[in-house]
Amino acid sequence: MFPYDNRLLAAVQRAPQSVDEVIATMQAIAEICSDGDGLKWFNWLYLGVTRAVGAQVDAGGFQDPIWLAALDVQFSGLYFEALRAGLSGETPPGCWKALFDRRNWTALARIQCALAGINAHINHDLPIAIVRTGAAPVHGDPHYQDYTAVNSTLSTMVDSAKTELHVRLLGDLLPPVSQLEDTVAAFSVTAAREAAWNHGEMLWALRAFPRLSARMTDTLDGMTAVIGKTLLVPLP
């Protein structure tokens, strides 16, 4: 789709083993992608969020920073895994495919692409990442408290992005009034992350039932893909 896609594929070949490696991979993606690539704007937002959460960890803002770092590595790995699949001719989850198939649609706004990536990453990937940390998710426990402590940082950065990325992919101004305003205003990171934790608890409970777990994951993907396609409607 873009002439540099082979370089992107090379950047995500190795699964990160630490938060520093996560940041380095996202920095590489940022340096490769052009402004007209919708992937750039999700990656830009995600990189900013990862750095901000890392600063919170360094400041001692969490009860179990080791668990939070493990969650971050598992979480970002699913993004890189999906991108690797999409760029190598395999089939990524449908929620990610919705963004990858449209990353060159210049009629889209940057914020649409950023939120479509956030949608795929939180609503589909995050429950899986919670389970992959290896610790049972329990509503209200210290891990949940650390998890929700991130919400204000994420919400602040997404709200800022809603303004900063309110232009078309190539930087052109958007129409004064469009359906985008209502769509963007309705997107809540806090609500999405709460649902993701609940889904993580369900997936944990289904570990002994792989067929049911796979069906639930497929259902999450299907629902998230519908939301992604709704977010990625071209603007006039």
Side-chain angles (χ1 to χ4, degrees):
M1 182 174 292
F2 286 90
Y4 50 72
D5 279 357
N6 285 339
R7 292 168 57 204
L8 276 180
L9 180 58
V12 295
Q13 279 301 314
R14 183 176 180 274
Q17 302 300 311
S18 67
V19 175
D20 286 344
E21 290 184 10
V22 168
I23 291 174
T25 300
M26 284 193 283
Q27 286 175 327
I29 294 170
E31 291 168 3
I32 293 169
C33 289
S34 67
D35 287 357
D37 186 342
L39 179 66
K40 174 173 183 170
W41 304 108
F42 162 69
N43 190 80
W44 172 86
L45 178 55
Y46 190 20
L47 176 56
V49 165
T50 304
R51 286 171 170 160
V53 173
Q56 279 186 272
V57 170
D58 293 342
F62 301 100
Q63 300 177 65
D64 190 347
I66 294 175
W67 174 82
L68 196 67
L71 177 62
D72 195 20
V73 170
Q74 293 293 341
F75 190 32
S76 61
L78 288 161
Y79 159 43
F80 301 143
E81 185 180 307
L83 184 55
R84 188 163 59 246
L87 292 170
S88 62
E90 300 174 9
T91 303
C95 55
W96 280 112
K97 190 173 186 297
L99 174 59
F100 298 159
D101 286 351
R102 296 162 175 78
R103 39 186 283 246
N104 65 341
W105 287 14
T106 54
L108 293 171
R110 293 174 180 178
I111 188 59
Q112 289 177 276
C113 296
L115 290 184
I118 291 290
N119 164 64
H121 206 32
I122 293 179
N123 288 323
H124 175 265
D125 293 355
L126 188 49
I128 299 170
I130 289 169
V131 173
R132 287 188 180 182
T133 63
V138 178
H139 205 278
D141 76 353
H143 287 166
Y144 175 79
Q145 292 170 25
D146 282 347
Y147 177 87
T148 55
V150 175
N151 286 348
S152 60
T153 298
L154 296 180
S155 295
T156 297
M157 297 196 72
V158 169
D159 285 345
S160 177
K162 288 177 180 179
T163 300
E164 190 167 348
L165 302 185
H166 199 75
V167 293
R168 295 190 193 274
L169 282 185
L170 296 177
D172 302 333
L173 295 177
L174 293 169
V177 178
S178 72
Q179 76 272 20
L180 180 60
E181 279 67 28
D182 290 339
T183 302
V184 168
F187 193 90
S188 169
V189 171
T190 297
R193 295 186 86 247
E194 180 66 16
W197 183 274
N198 293 335
H199 289 141
E201 289 187 349
M202 296 175 196
L203 285 174
W204 182 270
L206 291 174
R207 286 174 304 141
F209 307 96
R211 291 178 64 185
L212 283 176
S213 179
R215 283 166 58 188
M216 181 177 172
T217 303
D218 287 345
T219 299
L220 281 176
D221 183 27
M223 293 171 61
T224 306
V226 170
I227 296 171
K229 291 173 183 178
T230 301
L231 285 166
L232 293 169
V233 173
L235 300 172

